[in-house]
């Protein structure tokens, strides 16, 4: 039996299992008739099919491996064909040599029907059709829908507004976004949206921009958006200011944005602790609070029906604000949880055959990523490892079992047989977008992956695998993949099956994902120098590119990776693109190509977002895992072919490796990180019970005892996190009752780092 050690590697583990499936099977193909009729050959499935056209040696452009003269067979080298400054390659589908383009102009001349208005892209000698990335690319030619300029045909009959519900404060403004729907599905329309308020004294709204502003009346109203005959509304609650000597804390669920009433707020004023219960409207009110000076505010909440695992405690240390808003994250469920929220679905052989005729079929699915990237869980990108029964007798004969551990979000097949046709991707409940990246690889590419593993023994030892090289080998193979997106899915908590046989969970929402959009966009990302971990540069960087959909989170549309030098003496912290082959066209150090699908599936009109994550594979794989991670974030509204994009900061943030935690004394001592203006300490109690402490500076922090009835979460270890925000947005602005609050943290952060700190 083959075992897989360390399932934290998700997709890699799944591919390793797939590699065993292939390499463990005898290479004699499926059984079939001994001979095929004249003019036919046997395909990979053992079926007799028509033989592709063969050409005679006298044909000047003949290159197929099946060409012949009499009984002799051989190959023709297309490089022998005289083409002047151009080169030829073999088109195996026709058995002839074809020209390799050098510029997009070549393509426009040779393939006018492909290149539309004369714009085409030449990549690796291949002519690729152009793809728009935004509506601005299609000025005068309609809208950019699925990467093509076309006229919008959809007439919406409904819409949805985000954020919802809305909380405003007198004089403060917040932007609203409306998404058109047709029969419940997101669509693209050229119909203008208009806005109106039910009561301007409570909250007014700009009719054209959707920017809402709190009025002088503390009450509730609705704001309505209209797309022609389609309309939708959002509930608005407006608050006026607080008087001198008072303090107010509004406590909201980060997922639903609804008030949390089962909670308590504690304000630390010097040495005095003042407590107040949270009322049914989510408000804790205080009197007798000094009008100025720094205070510590701690918010605690209990389990609710919507959050059965409870909420994360949140503290703001040293804020000068007296009117604050806290958005509490729901606690992450433990890995052996009995319930989760997610999507499910299946892919068939036909789904992959539409893409290409390569033999290895892979697709990776997930849910959009809400909240903030500081808490990004890489395992959520691939799902839990599930033992899957592979219906193939050769598998059991070759490796002693037909039970293979694969990520729940992965679909896998070989030569038309889809061994794991279903996907089940879990994530944060709420209104989310389902996504998928999938396609086909050839056997040679999979063998490249296999070469990174020791397949001689009875188990796969990931500690012996050079993960940087493996990622560099794997991810460029995904350039030819396709994307699928289904926005606006309502996912809620549901019971998980007791065993692998019950997967996918029946209560998961239908994902309805169809691979339809090629990764036609190509950007060149300028990646900063890698940070250090343990005295050496981190191993490489993973790039996750996608679209930020308001209220739903980041929808991945592409992924890339680059690594630093394998030689420690030559490591300089500058990543190189694994596609580099030593040619003049190679990208220089620090630049990495990222392929993404254009916006499609109803998410058109949003901004693109790219997150670069610096990783240390030793820190992820070692026995004492500290999970070092540093990230930079950038956003842009369009992406030209091979256009260079940079991040808003010059470097990754270093890790706070020297921060300390004294559990007995309840003292956390941060470490200052150059470039950071905000810090977080996320205490991890186990079972998903967390406590996040926001602060500025590196002074020691003494944690209070939670109020009676709330479990203590100041335990054995924490994640020390440093943050750089756009414009230097600090602690006060983050918790102040305004439009820049914790629910918008994903749009406010430009760089972050995180590392686990163990107790002293």
């Amino acid at each position: 039996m083959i075992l897989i050690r360390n399932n934290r590697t998700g997709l890699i583990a799944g591919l390793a299992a797939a590699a065993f499936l292939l390499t463990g099977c005898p290479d004699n193909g499926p059984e079939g008739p001994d001979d095929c009729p004249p003019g036919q050959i046997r395909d990979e499935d053992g079926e007799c099919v028509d033989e592709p056209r063969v050409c005679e040696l006298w044909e000047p452009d003949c290159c197929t491996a099946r060409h012949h003269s009499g009984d002799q067979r051989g190959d023709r080298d297309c490089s022998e064909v005289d083409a002047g400054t151009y080169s030829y390659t073999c088109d195996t589908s026709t058995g002839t040599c074809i020209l390799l383009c050098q510029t997009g102009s070549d393509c426009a001349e040779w393939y006018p029907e492909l290149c539309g208005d004369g714009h085409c892209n030449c990549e690796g000698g291949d002519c690729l059709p152009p793809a728009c990335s935004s509506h601005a690319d299609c000025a005068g030619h309609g809208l950019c829908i699925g990467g093509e300029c076309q006229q919008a045909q959809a007439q919406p009959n409904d819409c949805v507004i985000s954020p919802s519900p809305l909380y405003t404060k007198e004089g403060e403004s917040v932007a609203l976004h409306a998404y058109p729907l047709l029969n419940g599905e997101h669509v693209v329309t050229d119909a203008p949206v208009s806005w109106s308020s039910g009561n301007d004294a409570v909250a007014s709204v700009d009719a054209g921009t959707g920017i809402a502003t709190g009025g002088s009346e503390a009450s509730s109203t609705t704001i309505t958006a209209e797309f022609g005959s389609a309309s939708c509304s959002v509930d608005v609650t407006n608050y006026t200011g607080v008087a001198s000597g008072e303090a107010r804390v509004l406590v909201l669920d980060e997922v639903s944005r609804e008030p949390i009433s089962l909670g308590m707020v504690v304000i630390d004023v010097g040495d005095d602790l003042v407590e107040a219960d949270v009322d049914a409207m989510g408000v804790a009110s205080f009197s007798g609070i000094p009008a100025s000076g720094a205070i510590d505010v701690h918010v605690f909440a209990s389990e609710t029906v919507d959050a059965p695992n409870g909420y994360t405690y949140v503290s703001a240390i040293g804020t000068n604000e007296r009117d604050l808003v806290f958005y509490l994250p729901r606690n992450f469920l433990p890995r052996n949880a009995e319930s989760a929220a997610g999507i499910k679905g299946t892919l068939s052989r036909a789904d992959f055959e539409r893409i290409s005729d390569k033999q290895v079929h892979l697709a990776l699915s997930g849910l959009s990523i809400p909240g903030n990237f500081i808490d990004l869980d890489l395992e959520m990108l691939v799902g839990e490892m599930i033992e899957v029964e592979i219906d193939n007798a050769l598998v059991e004969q070759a490796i002693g079992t037909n039970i293979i551990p694969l990520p729940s979000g992965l679909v896998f097949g070989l030569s038309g047989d889809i061994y794991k046709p279903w996907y089940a991707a879990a994530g944060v409940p709420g209104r989310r977008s389902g996504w998928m990246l999938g396609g086909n690889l050839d056997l040679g590419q999979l063998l490249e992956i296999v070469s990174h593993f020791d397949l001689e023994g009875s188990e796969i030892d990931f500690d012996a695998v050079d993960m940087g090289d493996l990622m560099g080998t794997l991810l460029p193979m995904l350039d030819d993949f396709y994307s699928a997106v289904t926005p606006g899915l309502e996912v809620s908590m549901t019971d998980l099956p007791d065993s692998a046989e019950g997967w996918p969970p029946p209560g998961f929402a239908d994902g309805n994902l169809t691979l339809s959009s090629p990764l036609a966009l190509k950007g060149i990302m300028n990646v900063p120098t890698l940070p250090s971990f343990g005295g050496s540069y981190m191993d490489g960087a993973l790039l996750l590119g996608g679209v930020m959909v308001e209220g739903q989170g980041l929808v991945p549309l592409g992924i890339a990776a680059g690594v630093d030098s394998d030689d420690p003496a030559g490591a300089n912290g500058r990543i190189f693109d694994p596609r580099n082959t030593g040619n003049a066209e190679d990208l220089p150090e620090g630049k990495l190509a990222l392929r993404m699908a254009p916006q499609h599936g109803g998410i058109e009109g949003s901004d693109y977002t790219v997150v670069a994550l610096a990783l240390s594979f030793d820190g992820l794989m070692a026995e004492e895992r500290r999970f070092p991670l540093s990230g930079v974030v950038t956003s842009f509204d369009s992406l030209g072919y091979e256009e260079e994009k940079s991040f808003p900061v010059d470097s990754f943030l270093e890790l706070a490796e020297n921060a300390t935690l004294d559990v007995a004394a309840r003292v956390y001592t941060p470490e200052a990180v150059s470039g950071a203006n905000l810090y977080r300490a996320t205490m991890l109690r186990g079972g998903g019970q967390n406590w996040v402490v926001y602060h500025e500076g590196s002074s020691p922090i003494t944690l209070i005892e939670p109020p009676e009835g709330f479990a203590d979460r100041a335990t054995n270890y924490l994640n020390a996190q440093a943050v750089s925000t756009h414009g230097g947005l600090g602690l006060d602005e983050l918790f102040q009752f305004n439009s820049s609050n914790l629910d918008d943290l994903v749009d406010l952060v430009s760089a972050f780092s995180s590392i686990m700190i163990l107790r002293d």
Side-chain angles (χ1 to χ4, degrees), residues 144-317:
C144 183
I145 303 176
E148 297 181 4
C149 294
Q150 53 185 291
Q151 299 299 320
Q153 302 294 326
Q155 296 300 317
N157 55 16
D158 198 0
C159 55
V160 62
I161 297 175
S162 181
S164 176
L166 179 66
Y167 303 90
T168 56
K169 180 183 175 182
E170 182 178 4
E172 295 287 344
S173 298
V174 61
L176 290 169
H177 303 267
Y179 294 94
L181 305 176
L182 178 61
N183 300 327
E185 296 185 359
H186 283 238
V187 294
V188 181
T189 180
D190 54 7
V193 58
S194 60
W195 298 86
S196 61
S197 171
N199 188 339
D200 286 345
V202 176
S204 61
V205 63
D206 186 287
T209 64
I211 295 178
T213 303
S216 58
E217 183 178 328
S219 185
S220 298
T221 188
T222 58
I223 288 178
T224 300
E226 293 182 288
F227 290 92
S229 60
S231 66
C232 50
S233 298
V234 59
D235 294 328
V236 183
T237 302
N238 185 57
Y239 294 84
T240 53
V242 297
S244 178
E246 296 181 350
R248 177 177 62 200
V249 180
L250 176 61
V251 183
L252 303 173
D253 183 312
E254 183 184 71
V255 173
S256 68
R257 297 179 57 86
E258 296 289 346
I260 300 173
S261 58
L262 298 177
M264 179 174 289
V265 177
V266 178
I267 293 182
D268 188 346
V269 184
D271 294 328
D272 297 326
L273 298 180
V274 184
E275 298 180 353
D277 291 325
V278 180
D279 65 21
M281 296 298 294
V283 175
S285 301
F286 296 83
S287 59
I289 303 297
S292 61
I295 58 176
D296 300 341
V297 181
H298 309 270
V299 178
F300 306 89
S302 302
E303 296 82 358
T304 66
V305 174
D306 291 331
N309 205 43
Y311 291 92
T312 294
Y313 302 163
V314 178
S315 299
I317 305 298

Side-chain angles (χ1 to χ4, degrees), residues 63 68 154 267 298 340 426 443 503 580 590 629 655:
C63 64
H68 60 84
I267 293 182
H298 309 270
L443 289 175
W503 281 72
N580 288 352
L629 184 70
L655 305 168

Side-chain angles (χ1 to χ4, degrees), residues 567-612:
D567 182 1
N572 60 2
R574 305 295 289 161
I575 66 168
F576 64 88
D577 194 304
R579 302 167 185 81
N580 288 352
T581 59
N583 296 324
E585 296 80 10
D586 286 353
L587 292 175
E589 286 185 331
K591 296 182 185 295
L592 187 60
L594 172 64
R595 301 208 71 115
M596 292 192 295
Q599 299 174 10
H600 65 101
I603 62 174
E604 290 89 340
S606 304
D607 283 342
Y608 292 93
T609 295
V610 177
V611 186

Side-chain angles (χ1 to χ4, degrees), residues 505-523:
F508 276 15
D510 291 331
N512 298 319
L513 294 170
T514 301
L515 295 168
S516 59
S517 182
L519 309 189
L521 301 181
K522 181 182 180 182

Side-chain angles (χ1 to χ4, degrees), residues 203-476:
S204 61
V205 63
D206 186 287
T209 64
I211 295 178
T213 303
S216 58
E217 183 178 328
S219 185
S220 298
T221 188
T222 58
I223 288 178
T224 300
E226 293 182 288
F227 290 92
S229 60
S231 66
C232 50
S233 298
V234 59
D235 294 328
V236 183
T237 302
N238 185 57
Y239 294 84
T240 53
V242 297
S244 178
E246 296 181 350
R248 177 177 62 200
V249 180
L250 176 61
V251 183
L252 303 173
D253 183 312
E254 183 184 71
V255 173
S256 68
R257 297 179 57 86
E258 296 289 346
I260 300 173
S261 58
L262 298 177
M264 179 174 289
V265 177
V266 178
I267 293 182
D268 188 346
V269 184
D271 294 328
D272 297 326
L273 298 180
V274 184
E275 298 180 353
D277 291 325
V278 180
D279 65 21
M281 296 298 294
V283 175
S285 301
F286 296 83
S287 59
I289 303 297
S292 61
I295 58 176
D296 300 341
V297 181
H298 309 270
V299 178
F300 306 89
S302 302
E303 296 82 358
T304 66
V305 174
D306 291 331
N309 205 43
Y311 291 92
T312 294
Y313 302 163
V314 178
S315 299
I317 305 298
T319 179
N320 294 288
E321 293 299 321
R322 299 299 186 267
D323 194 8
L324 306 100
V325 179
F326 280 66
Y327 286 86
L328 300 194
R330 298 179 185 179
N331 286 327
F332 289 113
L333 292 170
R335 293 299 172 190
N336 59 351
E338 296 179 354
S339 61
I343 59 171
K344 68 179 186 305
T346 59
L347 294 184
S348 67
R349 174 176 180 167
D351 291 313
F352 291 100
E353 288 180 338
R354 283 196 299 266
I355 297 174
S356 72
D357 59 359
K358 295 179 180 179
Q359 305 97 322
V360 183
H361 317 303
L362 291 172
L364 181 66
S365 63
L367 279 178
S368 54
I369 306 167
N372 67 80
F373 299 127
I374 306 171
D375 298 320
L376 182 63
D377 183 357
L378 294 178
E379 291 186 59
M380 290 182 65
L381 293 178
V382 295
E384 294 292 316
M385 296 296 289
I386 302 294
E387 291 189 338
V388 178
E389 182 176 356
I390 303 297
D391 186 17
N392 189 309
L394 294 178
V395 175
E396 187 168 8
Q397 175 186 346
I399 62 177
T401 180
N402 64 344
I403 305 298
I404 305 293
L406 292 174
S408 62
L410 185 75
V411 175
F412 168 72
L414 173 65
S415 298
D417 291 324
I418 311 301
Y419 293 113
K420 182 179 177 293
W422 59 266
Y423 59 87
V428 179
R431 188 175 180 83
R432 301 286 170 255
S433 293
W435 62 269
M436 177 178 283
L437 293 172
N440 302 312
L441 305 176
D442 61 39
L443 289 175
Q445 289 176 308
L446 192 64
L447 290 176
E448 287 188 61
I449 300 173
V450 174
S451 68
H452 291 273
F453 298 93
D454 178 9
L455 305 182
E456 299 297 329
S458 60
E459 64 179 37
I460 302 176
D461 184 0
F462 281 94
D463 295 335
V465 176
D466 188 324
M467 297 299 295
D469 276 354
L470 178 58
M471 294 292 286
T473 299
L474 169 65
L475 293 180

Side-chain angles (χ1 to χ4, degrees), residues 85-90 98-103 106 110-111 122 124-127:
T85 60
Y86 290 94
S87 300
Y88 276 87
T89 189
C90 182
I98 59 173
L99 277 171
L100 294 173
C101 62
Q102 294 180 350
T103 67
D106 293 337
W110 300 342
Y111 308 108
C122 175
D126 293 331
C127 290

